[in-house]
Amino acid sequence: MGSFSIWHWLIVLLIVVMVFGTKKLKNMGSDLGGAVKGFKDGMKDGSASAADDKSAALAQQVANASEKTTIDVEAKQKN
């Protein structure tokens, strides 16, 4: 009762093929493969440009830090 046998998986596969059809499953598989490939390419490009973006964001924060004013607050002591 713990795991499924090969026959259970074959029956599930047969039902999925009957419901969606082989052409639809082929299109979904190619779409999924294209999405994974695009994600991997984006991660490669993103890591190179992320360092540039990070340094630009840090420079922007430093520039904005001089323009911001500070807020004085009082700390309360615990009894």
Side-chain angles (χ1 to χ4, degrees), residues 32-78:
L32 180 64
V36 169
K37 184 177 179 184
F39 178 75
K40 286 182 180 178
D41 291 342
M43 291 299 290
K44 284 181 187 176
D45 293 342
S47 64
S49 64
D52 295 338
D53 292 342
K54 194 179 228 183
S55 62
L58 183 60
Q60 183 67 28
Q61 286 178 351
V62 170
N64 288 342
S66 63
E67 296 173 5
K68 292 184 180 178
T69 60
T70 59
I71 300 172
D72 293 329
V73 296
E74 292 182 20
K76 294 184 180 179
Q77 293 181 348
K78 279 189 171 179

Side-chain angles (χ1 to χ4, degrees), residues 13-47:
L13 179 64
L14 179 67
I15 291 171
V16 168
V17 168
M18 288 172 54
V19 168
F20 292 108
T22 56
K23 188 173 182 177
K24 181 95 170 173
L25 290 174
K26 182 182 175 187
N27 289 342
M28 287 184 350
S30 63
D31 290 343
L32 180 64
V36 169
K37 184 177 179 184
F39 178 75
K40 286 182 180 178
D41 291 342
M43 291 299 290
K44 284 181 187 176
D45 293 342
S47 64

